[in-house]
Structures are given as C-alpha cells and as structure tokens.
Amino acid sequence: MFNETEHTVFLPHDRLAGLLAAIRAGGWQCVGPRVEQGAIVMAPLAESEGLPRGLQADQAPGQYRLGADAKQRYFAWANGPQALKPLVFAPQETLWRVARGTDGALTFEAAVPDAPKRAVIGVRACDLAALALQDAHFLRKGWDDVHYAARRAQLFLVAVQCAVPAATCFCASTGDGPTPGMGYDLALAELDAGFVVVAGSAAGRAVLQQLDLAAATPAQIGAAREQGDAAAAAQTRRLPGRDLRDTLMARLKHPQWDAVAARCLACGSCTAVCPTCFCHAEHEAPALDGASSHHAREWDSCFGETHGHLHGFNVRPDIRTRYRQWLTHKLAGWHDQFGRSGCVGCGRCIAWCPAGIDFTAEVAALTGAPDVKEA
Ligand code: SF4
Ligand code: SF4
C-alpha cells in the first residue's frame, strides 16, 4: 500500500541498480524477470540492465505475446507463466534417501535443501496472495514441509504494483491485486521517472536505509494510488463473487461440465502455471545395483489419468470429472480447507491453456453470471 508516511520514499530509475546492489550486499542472490523463448520468466539477475524494460505482455485465452511499452518502463508487463511457486515448491526434488549396508541394514537420510538467500524482483500482488495460500498448505502448524520451509525462510520479496494488467487478469475481483497489500519486504509502484517505494519488513527497511532516498512527494504517492485504481478498473474479466462454494456444489451435474470436457485436452498446463496448485506425486527411485534408493516428489495434476486412481479404481475416470475437480476444488473446497477461494485472479490458466479455455467464462456459464463486465 502506498500511503503518505516518512517511510515512503522515491527511487529514481537511475538508482534501480543501486537498490539491487544493496540487496546483494545483504547476501541475497537476485532472481528477476528475463525474456526467454518469447516469454518473461524468473531467472538469475546479475544487473538491472537485464530487466525486460519497455515490454508489455499481451494475453488472451491460449495466447501470450510480448509487445512494446511506449513509456519504456521496467515493469509494464503483466505476469509471465511462473509465479513464486517453483522457487519454494520445487517441481522435482528428493525428499529422503536410503542405503543398504553390507550387513543388509538400511540407513535413512533426510535430503533437506541447502536453500540460498534469494531476492525475487518484480513479484505481483496475485503472486503474494498465492504464496500466502501455499504457506497455509505447506507450513500448517505441526505439519510443516521442511523442504518448502527451508526455501521460504530465505526469500526477500520485492513486489511491484501492476499498472498494465493483461486482458486475462481478474485479481481485482478476487481482492488480491493489482496493488500489493501484504507479504512483501519492499513494494514498488513505477511512475514515469522512477518508483514510489515502501518497506513491509525490517529487512526491507534495512535495505532502504542504505540508499538515503528522499521521501516520496504527496503527488507521487497520489499518482501511485490512482494508477492502482485505474489498473483495477481496466480489468474486464472477473469472478461473480468471492465465495462460490455453495453455488458450485449445487451444480455438480450441470451440462457445462460436458461442454468444457469436449474442449479440454487434460494436458495439465493450467495446474502447472497456477500459483496455488500444490498437488504432487511421490515415488521411489532405486539405483540399478539395488544398494540405494531415493524418495522423490514431483508436481502432479488433477487432470492426470493416475491422479484419481485409488485402491484399484479411478474416482475421476474422464475429463469431465477431472475438470470439475479442478474448478470445484479451487473455488469451493478451498473455502473448507483454507477459509477462502484458491484463485487469486492471475489469469495464467487462461493464457497458457492450449485449448483457450477461459476459467472465468466457465464459471460464468456454470453460475449464470456474466464473465465480462458490461462496457
Ligand atoms: S483446461 Fe486447458 S490447460 Fe487445463 S488441462 Fe484442459 S486443455 Fe489443458
Ligand atoms: S485458477 Fe487460474 S486465475 Fe486462478 S490462481 Fe490459478 S492460474 Fe491464476
């Protein structure tokens, strides 16, 4: 949030490299947006020159294209295919290893990752909200996932307000964006000449103190707030409510499930890019000599054929039941598990669906509410 306080400062564009240097001096490795294979992805970031300045991301159902930003801003692109999820919940990892000694005894060894201190530059409000949901799952009291916790504890998050939402974004309707409201160490709102910056943690304040920045003016803070309001108003997609649990659970036999199943490829792309999905599979990977094995975990998807296989039969044998599981878990079951919906309105599942299936349109068809705001 960008309010008029003595701690709200202004960082001119030509001091951005200084901010990254101050973060590095604190011992964090920087990860930030980079253009790779035509998309903006999170990758190691050596210098601010590597940031994708002057780009926007045009997105639509089944489409993602980079285009030019006339204002030459650093963060005019809306989110890319990755969120924070791969940085804390690894796509593939070893959870533990076991070795057989010469006497046949088995020795088990935990495989906790040696997580580096990592600063992520350019985190969006929807990504912070998704991280809070992943925390609720992986850091549940008494059930902490040590692999997730090790990486999570090392994160320093530099959030950025979205000024140019993609056509697929609907975070305003879920209440999660486009201005970062919580969970960041630093939050930036980019204006034409630089950034309004606020700290959200002691670590963030310590980094800012090294830069000796002037306080942001009331005009700059006002511009940041207006920009956030305008970005929210510009979003055309939306969900028809924040709690659709009962509405959806009353429609488990709706014909729309058949209609979407006829188009869905069950590829799982939507669950891979979704920043809140946490389903995974575990399996043993024995060495060929039989002397050792490791227990591996990797991302799984409710669209996979084996995901619903339980004790000799499949509880979700077709795409209709798998799509219904995805949507009703996300928008209904999460209310029972976590007290809110599991959708933060990032729109990734819309842009990265090869069949162009629009999550908001499917919800609208199921609930009878319009999926696009009246012009
Ligand atoms: S909804 Fe789209 S992305 Fe998801 S499984 Fe179906 S075809 Fe793949
Ligand atoms: S369901 Fe779609 S829009 Fe919602 S958080 Fe997941 S990827 Fe983003």
Side-chain angles (χ1 to χ4, degrees):
M1 284 301 193
F2 301 99
N3 296 316
E4 283 182 41
T5 75
E6 74 226 65
H7 302 301
T8 306
V9 295
F10 190 75
L11 178 82
H13 272 142
D14 61 7
R15 302 275 313 270
L16 182 59
L19 173 63
L20 298 188
I23 291 170
R24 270 190 220 100
W28 287 280
Q29 300 172 4
C30 287
V31 171
R34 300 289 301 268
V35 177
E36 285 184 12
Q37 298 180 47
I40 291 178
V41 299
M42 289 295 180
L45 185 69
E47 303 293 339
S48 58
E49 284 73 34
L51 290 167
R53 189 172 192 179
L55 289 179
Q56 291 190 10
D58 299 323
Q59 303 187 49
Q63 288 183 39
Y64 178 100
R65 296 278 183 283
L66 293 178
D69 173 54
K71 293 183 175 174
Q72 285 296 301
R73 289 191 177 185
Y74 283 96
F75 298 101
W77 45 274
N79 57 40
Q82 295 160 305
L84 293 166
K85 182 169 85 170
L87 299 176
V88 279
F89 171 33
Q92 288 182 311
E93 68 180 319
T94 296
L95 300 186
W96 43 266
R97 299 185 185 85
V98 56
R100 190 198 311 272
T102 50
D103 60 354
L106 299 179
T107 309
F108 291 84
E109 178 196 7
V112 180
D114 186 16
K117 285 181 73 175
R118 205 180 250 162
V120 190
I121 316 299
V123 178
R124 303 307 169 128
C126 58
D127 296 334
L128 293 172
L131 186 67
L133 285 167
Q134 294 260 307
D135 287 352
H137 176 69
F138 286 105
L139 304 180
R140 190 157 45 116
K141 203 167 170 25
W143 298 89
D144 298 35
D145 182 285
V146 293
H147 302 80
Y148 180 97
R151 299 187 185 95
R152 177 70 177 93
Q154 299 288 53
L155 287 186
F156 181 93
L157 300 173
V158 181
V160 180
Q161 177 195 58
C162 276
V164 188
T168 43
C169 295
F170 55 100
C171 63
S173 76
T174 65
D176 296 306
T179 296
M182 52 130 199
Y184 53 78
D185 293 287
L186 294 174
L188 280 56
E190 185 171 15
L191 305 178
D192 289 346
F195 305 89
V196 175
V197 188
V198 290
S201 69
R205 281 188 287 281
V207 166
L208 281 190
Q209 275 164 9
Q210 294 177 47
L211 297 176
D212 194 23
L213 296 167
T217 65
Q220 289 166 334
I221 295 168
R225 295 175 73 157
E226 281 170 24
Q227 180 168 266
D229 292 343
Q235 293 184 5
T236 52
R237 283 186 166 75
R238 67 182 180 92
L239 289 180
R242 292 189 189 171
D243 186 351
L244 301 172
R245 180 188 179 282
D246 294 344
T247 308
L248 288 170
M249 294 312 277
R251 288 163 169 77
L252 295 180
K253 296 189 175 165
H254 197 288
Q256 188 62 24
W257 302 118
D258 291 309
V260 69
R263 289 171 284 134
C264 174
L265 307 170
C267 65
S269 177
C270 49
T271 55
V273 295
C274 179
T276 66
C277 279
F278 51 67
C279 284
H280 54 266
E282 297 186 15
H283 61 268
E284 310 306 323
L288 284 178
D289 64 2
S292 65
S293 179
H294 68 266
H295 186 83
R297 169 168 75 182
E298 60 189 17
W299 290 1
D300 199 2
S301 169
C302 48
F303 285 94
E305 211 166 335
T306 57
H307 191 76
H309 199 87
L310 299 176
H311 305 294
F313 73 103
N314 198 327
V315 295
R316 290 186 286 276
D318 50 29
I319 295 178
R320 173 182 171 276
T321 48
R322 290 181 212 149
Y323 190 93
R324 189 178 68 182
Q325 163 67 18
W326 142 254
L327 193 140
T328 55
H329 183 217
K330 190 70 62 185
L331 296 181
W334 281 63
H335 286 277
D336 298 327
Q337 286 179 283
F338 303 108
R340 62 154 290 175
S341 133
C343 178
V344 297
C346 72
R348 288 183 174 94
C349 59
I350 301 173
W352 295 95
C353 171
I357 292 171
D358 179 342
F359 188 80
T360 58
E362 295 307 320
V363 173
L366 285 159
T367 62
D371 62 319
V372 176
K373 271 194 281 189
E374 302 286 331

